[in-house]
Amino acid sequence: MKASIKDVLIYLLIAFFLLSTVFGRVLWFPFNISVVSGYSMYPAITPGDVVVGVHKDLTGFNVGDVVVWCGTLTHCIIHRVFKIGTDYVITKGDNNPLPDPPLTLALVKYRVILRVPAVLWIPLLTSLLVTYLYMKRGTILRLLYGLREVEVFTYLAFLFINVLVISLVPINYLSVPTVLTTPSITLERVTLSSNGAEAVIKYNLRDLSLMYVENCVIAVEDAAFYCGAQVSNDSVIVEIPRKIYAIAISKPLTHVHFSLRVSLDKGFLDGEYSVPLSWSRLVVEPSGPSLLVFNPNYGPVNVSYIRVQYVGLDEVFGTPKPLGVEVLEPFTVDGGRSYRLLIEGRGTYAYVTMRYYVGGAFVEEQRKVEFE
Amino acid sequence: MWRSRGRLNSNELLKVLTFASTTLTVTYSIYLLIVVTQPLYVVVGVIEGYVALSHYSLTYYGRQLQVDSLHNVSTLTIPLYCLSIYLLTSGLLTVYCSVRRRDLTLPVKLMFGGGLSTATLSGNLVGLIHRVVLIELPRLGVSLNIVSSAGRVYLGSSAVQAIRPMNLLTSPLTIALLTVVYVMVSGLTYICRVRLKEGL
């Protein structure tokens, strides 16, 4: 009776062991015991550790919990829950740079509740095994004596070692590829400074650094000009020569294109960028006996025709009386600069008509200048 | 003992077989040790290093790379290491016993046991090489040249290069040939020396 109870207990133990380690991966079983391989959860869980899990139906799981999910009978993964969706969950190894692909909730089997470090269970198990083998030494010796053919014993010994090693090392059916974090660089924005003298190219960098600019060329129509450029942290600052705008404004061009080669700490980048240009009319304001002409554009604007119509007042009737017309010399206003056009004081006031070319069209402005 | 011209008698045949078996045992042991420990492939480029069955060393932009699958492969070479040491020991024991003119029954049995184990573990060897060469190594050949919104980014690539002599040593044909020859010779030696002698 005593022997049969012992046998029953042994069989139950074996069944529990098999269900909790192997068959529990595909069948419903309240507990799971797994031996960890791999460094994906390092340092929280290290290779060789034993983790004990409880079925998710009994405990549920939340973001931050460590769970066991199984794709096949031979392949289970122990990772931390990263995100839970309506019908999917995303896990991630603590030591992995990227999360795992989304899984269906059905694949998640257990929530890890206990971790037994390898330095604890291996010596414990070994000592228990050695104790058991010592207690059963008589039986073992009788068995070995039956294997006194040394060649058979050798073969069986190597077979045993082979099976032992294979069973300790997980052979993943679906091999998990090593994830390499690829450095990346993307464009955040390209902006022009307020005076148009510089273009700033800002990048988003990951695991990369900008070193210096090897080559910078600005293309305008059929012409190409070398430009100076320098690196500033995660940006490249390109100097745009003024003569570019003189060409651009006359065409007119809506964009300035430039290409550059930037040396990186791990390679180099060939980029081609363009900056939009917009052209505006001159800002003309009367200021006493003169006109203040401001050029808000980046390039120079040539006022090619200035006509002044002088007007006086009739001494008898007080009505306006034209006094004459004068055509003045053309002038050029540089980008971002102002020009004061002095009008000779003749009569009471004058109408000044200016004509210039900007943004692909001729513009005519007329202003009244008071002399008194 | 009779002797006919150009033919060996049974004792001499036994000596030849024992010599061949011993030589093959030691040779196979060294062969196994070389195949398991020496680098099979080198990787050059953004990933640099070498891969052997029992160990590997790879760096990615100067940082040490951890490849779980290669780590598992290196653990699975333990039985092969054990076999190599066993074969070397049994071969040297046979040499020792021959020199000392002692009974060679036990060394021959040991070598035959090693031969039987070799027949089984050669499958391990082929499987591990297959795993490394066909599955893991192609993953190490990468190209990091990409096109992004910043432009064309050239970050280099890596290439896997085979080490010529190792390529030959690890080919399935070489493994199969060596294993078959060794097992047959050790088996024949065992039968002639042990079984036939027992039967006489």
Side-chain angles (χ1 to χ4, degrees), chain B residues 18-29:
Chain B
T18 308
F19 176 76
S21 187
T22 310
T23 309
L24 281 171
T25 301
V26 174
T27 307
Y28 199 94
S29 143

PDB file of all heavy atoms in Angstrom, chain B residues 18-29:
ATOM      1  N   THR B  18      44.364  -2.125 -36.640  1.00  0.00           N
ATOM      2  CA  THR B  18      44.503  -1.396 -35.368  1.00  0.00           C
ATOM      3  C   THR B  18      45.236  -0.083 -35.594  1.00  0.00           C
ATOM      4  O   THR B  18      44.841   0.969 -35.065  1.00  0.00           O
ATOM      5  CB  THR B  18      45.264  -2.249 -34.330  1.00  0.00           C
ATOM      6  OG1 THR B  18      44.647  -3.536 -34.229  1.00  0.00           O
ATOM      7  CG2 THR B  18      45.266  -1.575 -32.968  1.00  0.00           C
ATOM      8  N   PHE B  19      46.291  -0.156 -36.415  1.00  0.00           N
ATOM      9  CA  PHE B  19      47.042   1.068 -36.722  1.00  0.00           C
ATOM     10  C   PHE B  19      46.139   2.081 -37.426  1.00  0.00           C
ATOM     11  O   PHE B  19      46.126   3.272 -37.085  1.00  0.00           O
ATOM     12  CB  PHE B  19      48.257   0.723 -37.592  1.00  0.00           C
ATOM     13  CG  PHE B  19      49.015   1.942 -38.027  1.00  0.00           C
ATOM     14  CD1 PHE B  19      49.842   2.627 -37.144  1.00  0.00           C
ATOM     15  CD2 PHE B  19      48.909   2.403 -39.336  1.00  0.00           C
ATOM     16  CE1 PHE B  19      50.528   3.755 -37.549  1.00  0.00           C
ATOM     17  CE2 PHE B  19      49.601   3.527 -39.744  1.00  0.00           C
ATOM     18  CZ  PHE B  19      50.416   4.209 -38.853  1.00  0.00           C
ATOM     19  N   ALA B  20      45.395   1.593 -38.421  1.00  0.00           N
ATOM     20  CA  ALA B  20      44.501   2.482 -39.172  1.00  0.00           C
ATOM     21  C   ALA B  20      43.441   3.059 -38.264  1.00  0.00           C
ATOM     22  O   ALA B  20      43.117   4.263 -38.326  1.00  0.00           O
ATOM     23  CB  ALA B  20      43.854   1.724 -40.330  1.00  0.00           C
ATOM     24  N   SER B  21      42.897   2.229 -37.407  1.00  0.00           N
ATOM     25  CA  SER B  21      41.846   2.677 -36.499  1.00  0.00           C
ATOM     26  C   SER B  21      42.376   3.734 -35.540  1.00  0.00           C
ATOM     27  O   SER B  21      41.715   4.755 -35.292  1.00  0.00           O
ATOM     28  CB  SER B  21      41.300   1.470 -35.724  1.00  0.00           C
ATOM     29  OG  SER B  21      40.205   1.842 -34.965  1.00  0.00           O
ATOM     30  N   THR B  22      43.583   3.486 -35.029  1.00  0.00           N
ATOM     31  CA  THR B  22      44.191   4.449 -34.098  1.00  0.00           C
ATOM     32  C   THR B  22      44.452   5.775 -34.794  1.00  0.00           C
ATOM     33  O   THR B  22      44.144   6.850 -34.263  1.00  0.00           O
ATOM     34  CB  THR B  22      45.505   3.901 -33.533  1.00  0.00           C
ATOM     35  OG1 THR B  22      45.295   2.578 -33.035  1.00  0.00           O
ATOM     36  CG2 THR B  22      46.043   4.788 -32.426  1.00  0.00           C
ATOM     37  N   THR B  23      45.006   5.674 -36.003  1.00  0.00           N
ATOM     38  CA  THR B  23      45.312   6.898 -36.765  1.00  0.00           C
ATOM     39  C   THR B  23      44.041   7.680 -37.051  1.00  0.00           C
ATOM     40  O   THR B  23      43.989   8.903 -36.874  1.00  0.00           O
ATOM     41  CB  THR B  23      45.998   6.549 -38.101  1.00  0.00           C
ATOM     42  OG1 THR B  23      47.095   5.680 -37.841  1.00  0.00           O
ATOM     43  CG2 THR B  23      46.486   7.795 -38.818  1.00  0.00           C
ATOM     44  N   LEU B  24      43.022   6.949 -37.476  1.00  0.00           N
ATOM     45  CA  LEU B  24      41.757   7.622 -37.785  1.00  0.00           C
ATOM     46  C   LEU B  24      41.120   8.210 -36.533  1.00  0.00           C
ATOM     47  O   LEU B  24      40.510   9.284 -36.589  1.00  0.00           O
ATOM     48  CB  LEU B  24      40.794   6.644 -38.462  1.00  0.00           C
ATOM     49  CG  LEU B  24      41.058   6.391 -39.938  1.00  0.00           C
ATOM     50  CD1 LEU B  24      40.213   5.251 -40.455  1.00  0.00           C
ATOM     51  CD2 LEU B  24      40.775   7.651 -40.763  1.00  0.00           C
ATOM     52  N   THR B  25      41.258   7.516 -35.418  1.00  0.00           N
ATOM     53  CA  THR B  25      40.680   8.029 -34.169  1.00  0.00           C
ATOM     54  C   THR B  25      41.323   9.353 -33.794  1.00  0.00           C
ATOM     55  O   THR B  25      40.635  10.342 -33.502  1.00  0.00           O
ATOM     56  CB  THR B  25      40.881   7.018 -33.024  1.00  0.00           C
ATOM     57  OG1 THR B  25      40.252   5.784 -33.365  1.00  0.00           O
ATOM     58  CG2 THR B  25      40.299   7.536 -31.723  1.00  0.00           C
ATOM     59  N   VAL B  26      42.670   9.366 -33.829  1.00  0.00           N
ATOM     60  CA  VAL B  26      43.376  10.597 -33.463  1.00  0.00           C
ATOM     61  C   VAL B  26      43.090  11.699 -34.494  1.00  0.00           C
ATOM     62  O   VAL B  26      42.850  12.851 -34.145  1.00  0.00           O
ATOM     63  CB  VAL B  26      44.895  10.333 -33.334  1.00  0.00           C
ATOM     64  CG1 VAL B  26      45.640  11.632 -33.103  1.00  0.00           C
ATOM     65  CG2 VAL B  26      45.172   9.361 -32.194  1.00  0.00           C
ATOM     66  N   THR B  27      43.079  11.303 -35.774  1.00  0.00           N
ATOM     67  CA  THR B  27      42.824  12.284 -36.837  1.00  0.00           C
ATOM     68  C   THR B  27      41.431  12.877 -36.703  1.00  0.00           C
ATOM     69  O   THR B  27      41.244  14.095 -36.801  1.00  0.00           O
ATOM     70  CB  THR B  27      42.956  11.629 -38.227  1.00  0.00           C
ATOM     71  OG1 THR B  27      44.219  10.985 -38.313  1.00  0.00           O
ATOM     72  CG2 THR B  27      42.805  12.647 -39.337  1.00  0.00           C
ATOM     73  N   TYR B  28      40.457  12.006 -36.472  1.00  0.00           N
ATOM     74  CA  TYR B  28      39.083  12.498 -36.360  1.00  0.00           C
ATOM     75  C   TYR B  28      38.936  13.403 -35.139  1.00  0.00           C
ATOM     76  O   TYR B  28      38.209  14.397 -35.183  1.00  0.00           O
ATOM     77  CB  TYR B  28      38.093  11.328 -36.279  1.00  0.00           C
ATOM     78  CG  TYR B  28      36.679  11.743 -36.619  1.00  0.00           C
ATOM     79  CD1 TYR B  28      36.191  11.606 -37.919  1.00  0.00           C
ATOM     80  CD2 TYR B  28      35.836  12.294 -35.664  1.00  0.00           C
ATOM     81  CE1 TYR B  28      34.901  12.004 -38.249  1.00  0.00           C
ATOM     82  CE2 TYR B  28      34.554  12.694 -35.987  1.00  0.00           C
ATOM     83  CZ  TYR B  28      34.097  12.548 -37.271  1.00  0.00           C
ATOM     84  OH  TYR B  28      32.816  12.958 -37.594  1.00  0.00           O
ATOM     85  N   SER B  29      39.639  13.039 -34.083  1.00  0.00           N
ATOM     86  CA  SER B  29      39.567  13.866 -32.869  1.00  0.00           C
ATOM     87  C   SER B  29      40.115  15.269 -33.149  1.00  0.00           C
ATOM     88  O   SER B  29      39.499  16.267 -32.779  1.00  0.00           O
ATOM     89  CB  SER B  29      40.354  13.179 -31.760  1.00  0.00           C
ATOM     90  OG  SER B  29      41.013  14.095 -30.964  1.00  0.00           O
TER      91      SER B  29
END
